[in-house]
Structure formats: structure tokens, C-alpha cells
Amino acid sequence: MFAEFLQFLLSGITIGAIYALAGLGFSIIYNSSHVINFAQGEFIMVGAMSTVALVGTGVPLPVAILIAIVATMLVGLALEKFAIEPARNADVVTLIIITIGASIFLRGVAQVLWGKDFHSLRAFTGDTPINIMGATIVPQSLWVLGVTMVVIIALGWFFSRTLAGKAMLATSYNRLAAQLCGIAVKRVLMLSFGLSAMLGAIGGIVVTPITFTSYEAGIMLGLKGFTAAVLGGLGNGAGAVVGGLIVGVAEAMGAGYISSAYKDAIAFVIILFVLFFMPSGLFGKRATDRV
Amino acid sequence: MKMMLKGGAVAGVALAAGLAVGVAQAADPIKIGATLSVTGGASFLGDPEKKTLEMYVDAINKDGGVLGRKIELIVYDDAGAPDKATSNVKRLLQNDSVDIIVGGSTTATTMAAVPLVEKAEVPFISLAGAVVIIEPVKKWVFKTPHTDRMAAEKVFADMKKRGITKIGLISEDAGFGKSGHDESLKVAPNYGIQIVADETYSPKDPDVTAQLTKIKNAPGVQAVFNFGFGQGPAVVTKNYRQLGITVPLYQSHGVASKSFIQLAGESAEGVRLPAAGLVVADQLPANDPQKAVVTSFNKEYKAKWGSDPSTFAGHAYDGLQIALAAIQRAGSSDKAKVRDEIEKTSGYVGTGGMVSMSPTDHMGLSLQAFHMVEIRKGDWVLID
């Protein structure tokens, strides 16, 4: 009985960690531009697919991972430079629609470049399951959790201790004031896209040995990441992480104890509840309109 | 009286039109239309199907065509969307006036086309799986792939042979898996099999350990049967090993491709599934009637496209061959005659098996068309 519960919990936390990384990506871009970047899921896919492609050509895994992360960041920067920046005077809604277009474009390119098949990556350190009090996880789950944790800590350090991080925070609080203080707001925007793409790529790569990847793998992960970000309060980093874990665990528990048929619905029921009853999420500040 | 006159006039016009067509026919190409899911979620079906059709139509045209007439292939992409399939079929019927339609990669796009071809009275050979396409029998509708019901029956027969009576069923909650799930529930009692746990997952689920844990803990489970295709079954197989479930795992014909073994890796060891002859071409005994057909199809496809053909490519091959053979036998592309000839297809050996159709069976495959295989050391091994 307890083993069963533990199994659901561990499965949920593993997947939740990926939702958390995707959610963080949403939050970072939202903070700097108020845009909800619906191409976040595609960053996950591009990171994973390019790693798979590189490994396929004989590049050693660690090198492939590095190249893939850089490549994905370039995609993120290009998206900002060529799609978001030219339209910077447009409505936020227009920008959001641009990101949806970009996500469709990226899926199309991936389809042409890498085909329509599913791909896998070998687990970093073997496939022998680890038994924890009757529940089992694969070693890759530990990689997912470990990497997620490292990334979150590094991000925390970046935002609280470095000038670039503080500049990004300042921009998210008050864009105009930040600009007046001499912060290059445009560069902050670039940085936020690069950073989000990096988070997506890392998440996509570590999770691929467990979940596989394909040109459209980003859609669902992106949506779940969005749910995580909204649940935690859009723009709140810690909130996105907690949101991701809650969504992951709720899904696993729902599938285990209620019915697997409702598994995907659970995430979307959560998002509806949040939007109805606490639109600013668990940790978000209540939005106030100044007159 | 007026009505009769009018009717006569219409008949006269039709007759004249018919004559005109008859004269033109000698030089006109035979038009084969197709609506396939070349892009979108079902592109792994439509893409190889399109390649197969194009490749063989080209080859046949080089050899002089059929009945001395060239073949014109018109393929439209429906991206797996039934509404697009509907408009594609309308276009094929009204603008292109095709003689026969091959395709409908998925059950949904096929069923969208069915009312149109029935009304237009144009022969239609579907490349999709579900039983509903040919049951009840529709006059103008045929199909080449095995049904999900056959796959379930083949698996249950194997279980019965091994004395398995209580199983857990885990299936995809969409399209293929859903239909397979329903058919499995229907035919299980015929083989004395009781389904003690019935779980589902969505096609893109990255983790199904929760569902499998429930099945593992269901009392008396002797085997687990998974119905789905794409990444889902590979996730199921991996999670299955992770949880250390020791009872045999059965998959459906939906995963009968090398990519499944690649995805699932070592976890796939010992998985049993029903597969068409095409998949196990090199394993078939030399005296198997399918051996020659599937070996040469494999070779030709690989030479042209550089990858092994999937069973779906084979469905398109069979559809094209059945259509062309029927046109040959009919001696013309007259739609009614061609339809009758397709229905009389008998003893055609294709990639899917031996096809013998009848007025009550518009697929013509028997359970013999499937071979039970087990995955050992990353390859298929025949076990029946």
C-alpha cells in the first residue's frame, strides 16, 4: 500500500521536475516581456532532438549535449531577434500569437530535418532500476531531479548575485525605471529568451531517455509547463517549480488512485481552478491596475 | 409522362457521354486518387504510403502501364484531419474524376470519406485498421490492413495456448488503441480470457508507472496486453521492466516495426506480438507463399528510399496491387466492373498476407496472416 503510494509519488516528482523547468522558462520570458512564449515546448524538443541527431552521427554524449544546448539557445535568440524584436511595439497578444507561429515553424523545421519518427537517447548511467522501499525508479530519474535542482540553484544565484540577473529582475519590476537607470532593456529581452531556451534544452535532454522525443514532443510538455507556471503564479520562479511538482504528482496520483483516463485532464482542471479562484496563482502578487 | 420523357433524355445524354468517354479511354490515363495523412500526427502512416504509391506507379508506367494506359496518381494530404479528408475526396471525385481511390491512412479519415464514395459509386480501398470500415460491409469500400480485432484474437489465442486466463489490459485512450481496447473486450471471452485490470494512457504520456502499478497489484494477473502505437508502447515496455513485473508482456501489431525495438531497447526483450509477414521477411521459411513478395518489396523500397518499409508502406502496396489487378481483370476502368473484380480478389499474396475477398468480406485476410513473434536479442523470432 505504502509502496504503491511511494511509486506514484516518485513518478510524479520525476515528471514534475520537467514541468518545473518548462514552467521556469515561461516565467523568465514573462518577467522580461509579459509575453507567454508558447514556443517554450519547442525549445525542449529542439534540445532533445539535436542531441539525438548528434549522438547518431557519432559525437560523444557530453559534447553532443553541450552543442545541443548552445544550438537551442541560438534558436531562442534568433526567435527574439527576428520575430519578437521587430514587433516590439505591438500588443502583448500579438507577440503571443507570434510565439505560437514560431512554435509551428520550429515543429515544421524539425519534421523536415529529423523526420517524423520517435527517437530515444541511451540512459546516462544504465537502466538497472533502483528499489526504494518497494517502489522503483530508473537511474535517469535521479539525473532529472539532480539536474533540475542544480539548474534551479544556479538560477537563484544568477538572479540574486549577478549584475545581469539583477538587471533582469529590475526590468521585470518596472521596465521604464530600469531603462532610466541605464539597463539595456533590449539586451535583457535577448538574455531572457536565451536563458529560457537553455532551460528547455536541458530539460528536454535529461528526460529523453525516459520519455523519448519526436518533432511534436514539445506540445504537451509546453502545455504542462504553462500549467505549472500559471499555478505557481506567472513570473514567479519558485512558484513555477512548486507548480510543476504539484502538477506532476497530481497527475500520477490521479492516474493511480482515480482513473488513468483522467490523467491529462487533471492538469487542465487545475489550470481552470487557478484561473477561476486565484488568477494570480499560489505565489503570484495580486495584480493591481493603477489609474 | 413528362417525368418519363425527362428520364429518357437524361439517359440519352448519359449514354452519349458514356460513348464519348469510351472513345477517349484508349489514350486517357487511369486515374488513381489518394488522400493520405502525409503530415501531422499520423504522418508515419501517410508518408511511407505516399512513397510506396509514387514509387510503384512510376515503375508500372515505365513498363507501359495497365491495359496499355498510363496511370496518373493524384495524392492529397489530409494531415490526419477528417474534414480535410472529406474535401480531398470531394476534389478527387468532382475535379479530378478519379477511377478509384486508395487511402485514408487513418480510420477517422477513411470513415469521413466513406459516405462520399458510396454516393459517388467509386471503388475505395482504405489503408486503415479498424473493423468499422468493413463491418457492416459497404458496397464500394474495401481495406488492406489487418483489423485490430484480428490482432486481439491472435494474441488471445497465444495466451490460451499457454494456459493464461487472467490478464491486465493497458491501452492508449485514442484512435487505434481505443478501438483495439473495445475489440479486445469483445473477443476476450471467446478465448476464455478474463480482463482483471483495464487501464489507459494518453498517446503522449511520458510515464505510465502509475497505471502499471495498479495492474501489477491486481489479483491473479498472468499476462499484460498493451494496445497502442508510437511512443506509448515503448514507454509502457520500459516502465514494465522498471517495475520488475515478471508476467509476459504482449503488444499489438501497432508496434511491429524495428523502431519499437530501438526505442524500448533492452526492455523489449521477451515481448510477444502479432506481426505481418513483411516485418519478419527474413525469418519466413522459404516455402512460405509470402516470402518472395515481401522480400522483393523490402529490397525495392530500401533501394529507393534508403530505409526499411513499415507495414504501413506494405498496406499501400497491397492496395495498389489489388486495385490494378482488378482493373486488369475488368479490362477497363469502368467503376462498377472494377468494384466487382476487387470483390472477387482471390488468393492474392501481398505484404499483409493471403487476400481472398467475398461479398461479405471486404478485407479478405484470415488469422493466418499474422505470425506470433517474440523479441529476442533485439530481433524478431517466430514462435508459432
Side-chain angles (χ1 to χ4, degrees):
Chain A
M1 199 56 213
F2 176 70
E4 201 177 276
F5 174 79
L6 196 63
Q7 183 69 54
F8 299 154
L9 187 68
L10 289 173
S11 305
I13 289 175
T14 308
I15 296 307
I18 298 308
Y19 298 163
L21 280 184
L24 269 176
F26 275 106
S27 284
I28 290 173
I29 290 182
Y30 179 81
N31 268 344
S32 60
S33 64
H34 285 263
V35 169
I36 294 160
N37 171 31
F38 277 107
Q40 187 63 33
E42 272 56 45
F43 292 158
I44 298 176
M45 179 273 291
V46 170
M49 290 291 272
S50 44
T51 311
V52 170
L54 285 164
V55 169
T57 60
V59 179
L61 187 64
V63 184
I65 289 176
L66 279 181
I67 300 176
I69 291 175
V70 173
T72 312
M73 288 174 79
L74 289 178
V75 169
L77 295 177
L79 172 62
E80 199 279 333
K81 186 85 198 153
F82 300 117
I84 302 293
E85 211 179 288
R88 63 181 173 280
N89 295 326
D91 275 1
V92 167
V93 176
T94 313
L95 294 175
I96 292 175
I97 292 170
I98 289 176
T99 68
I100 295 176
S103 78
I104 296 170
F105 171 75
L106 287 173
R107 275 204 293 283
V109 172
Q111 195 176 14
V112 173
L113 219 57
W114 297 309
K116 297 159 190 164
D117 296 332
F118 292 99
H119 298 279
S120 183
L121 211 53
R122 220 148 34 89
F124 297 175
T125 47
D127 271 323
T128 323
I130 299 165
N131 198 315
I132 303 170
M133 289 186 284
T136 49
I137 54 169
V138 284
Q140 192 65 29
S141 295
L142 296 180
W143 274 101
V144 171
L145 294 175
V147 168
T148 307
M149 231 169 336
V150 169
V151 167
I152 289 170
I153 291 168
L155 270 184
W157 173 81
F158 174 76
F159 279 120
S160 59
R161 294 272 180 275
T162 67
L163 198 59
K166 285 179 182 166
M168 284 179 81
L169 275 187
T171 310
S172 78
Y173 289 136
N174 191 329
R175 197 188 167 98
L176 187 64
Q179 204 161 10
L180 290 173
C181 292
I183 293 171
V185 173
K186 233 199 239 173
R187 214 170 311 149
V188 165
L189 204 57
M190 285 287 270
L191 193 60
S192 69
F193 271 85
L195 213 52
S196 295
M198 187 186 80
L199 289 182
I202 293 175
I205 294 165
V206 288
V207 82
T208 296
I210 302 181
T211 62
F212 313 122
T213 188
S214 75
Y215 74 96
E216 51 176 16
I219 303 177
M220 219 26 159
L221 286 172
L223 280 175
K224 299 282 172 68
F226 175 63
T227 311
V230 170
L231 176 59
L234 258 178
N236 185 311
V241 174
V242 174
L245 291 176
I246 291 177
V247 172
V249 171
E251 276 186 1
M253 295 290 171
Y257 289 120
I258 306 169
S259 163
S260 43
Y262 301 122
K263 191 175 169 187
D264 274 329
I266 288 168
F268 301 117
V269 168
I270 290 177
I271 211 174
L272 283 179
F273 263 96
V274 171
L275 291 178
F276 272 130
F277 298 113
M278 35 178 189
S280 46
L282 290 176
F283 301 96
K285 291 177 291 291
R286 198 160 293 278
T288 43
D289 279 324
R290 261 167 298 179
V291 188
Chain B
M1 188 62 199
K2 209 175 170 189
M3 278 299 279
M4 255 168 80
L5 266 177
K6 207 174 171 188
V10 170
V13 170
L15 199 65
L19 279 173
V21 170
V23 171
Q25 253 181 11
D28 273 3
I30 297 170
K31 283 188 175 175
I32 299 183
T35 173
L36 301 172
S37 310
V38 185
T39 60
S43 57
F44 62 97
L45 303 170
D47 187 51
E49 286 164 358
K50 177 166 180 260
K51 283 176 173 167
T52 306
L53 291 181
E54 283 173 349
M55 165 183 160
Y56 280 96
V57 165
D58 276 355
I60 290 163
N61 279 338
K62 262 187 205 131
D63 291 345
V66 172
L67 301 174
R69 292 162 63 187
K70 295 272 181 209
I71 298 165
E72 187 185 339
L73 178 68
I74 305 159
V75 180
Y76 294 133
D77 177 18
D78 58 41
D83 56 323
K84 269 197 203 163
T86 308
S87 55
N88 284 350
V89 169
K90 274 186 193 152
R91 232 167 112 188
L92 289 170
L93 294 172
Q94 288 159 12
N95 301 3
D96 305 313
S97 342
V98 295
D99 297 304
I100 185 165
I101 297 178
V102 175
S105 302
T106 72
T107 300
T109 54
T110 295
M111 293 314 283
V114 163
L116 296 170
V117 295
E118 283 286 299
K119 195 162 164 243
E121 308 200 320
V122 171
F124 176 62
I125 303 181
S126 166
L127 309 178
V131 146
V132 292
I133 297 168
I134 48 156
E135 217 168 81
V137 172
K138 296 159 195 75
K139 190 175 177 200
W140 298 86
V141 181
F142 302 85
K143 79 188 216 67
T144 57
H146 318 88
T147 63
D148 33 20
R149 182 182 300 167
M150 288 169 65
E153 285 176 333
K154 191 77 183 177
V155 165
F156 291 151
D158 187 76
M159 289 176 172
K160 195 181 176 189
K161 208 172 71 188
R162 294 168 195 269
I164 293 169
T165 55
K166 285 185 174 177
I167 66 159
L169 180 65
I170 178 162
S171 47
E172 196 176 274
D173 63 3
F176 179 76
K178 194 170 186 148
S179 165
H181 164 263
D182 298 348
E183 293 299 327
S184 298
L185 291 188
K186 225 180 278 170
V187 297
N190 304 348
Y191 293 83
I193 285 180
Q194 197 191 340
I195 292 168
V196 291
D198 184 1
E199 293 293 320
T200 60
Y201 58 87
S202 89
K204 298 241 179 306
D205 261 359
D207 182 283
V208 294
T209 46
Q211 291 92 320
L212 286 173
T213 304
K214 271 175 100 175
I215 291 182
K216 186 185 177 185
N217 295 341
V221 170
Q222 293 168 294
V224 176
F225 182 25
N226 176 205
F227 224 116
F229 64 21
Q231 69 180 24
V235 171
V236 169
T237 309
K238 280 201 151 185
N239 288 170
Y240 200 81
R241 301 299 172 217
Q242 179 198 333
L243 292 173
I245 306 177
T246 47
V247 297
L249 174 63
Y250 286 82
Q251 291 283 357
S252 74
H253 60 315
V255 304
S257 75
K258 273 283 161 65
S259 68
F260 169 71
I261 300 183
Q262 276 162 16
L263 279 183
E266 280 169 22
S267 316
E269 280 299 299
V271 169
R272 294 187 200 125
L273 60 136
L278 178 63
V279 179
V280 285
D282 44 351
Q283 309 252 355
L284 290 176
N287 61 3
D288 191 297
Q290 266 192 286
K291 180 89 178 173
V293 179
V294 292
T295 312
S296 73
F297 175 61
N298 262 332
K299 216 171 75 190
E300 284 161 5
Y301 188 94
K302 197 162 185 178
K304 171 88 180 178
W305 302 108
S307 62
D308 283 323
S310 59
T311 38
F312 318 119
H315 299 328
Y317 174 83
D318 291 347
L320 182 68
Q321 297 298 339
I322 289 173
L324 294 179
I327 292 170
Q328 188 92 47
R329 287 199 302 273
S332 80
S333 53
D334 179 85
K335 295 181 181 72
K337 277 191 200 152
V338 171
R339 189 214 81 90
D340 292 347
E341 285 302 330
I342 296 176
E343 198 167 71
K344 285 184 206 147
T345 299
S346 169
Y348 161 77
V349 179
T351 65
M354 174 101 74
V355 180
S356 293
M357 297 201 193
S358 72
T360 52
D361 180 3
H362 277 191
M363 171 181 64
L365 290 165
S366 69
L367 273 192
Q368 266 81 44
F370 271 134
H371 303 270
M372 269 320 273
V373 299
E374 190 173 306
I375 299 172
R376 286 185 202 147
K377 296 202 179 75
D379 205 355
W380 319 104
V381 177
L382 286 174
I383 54 168
D384 59 353

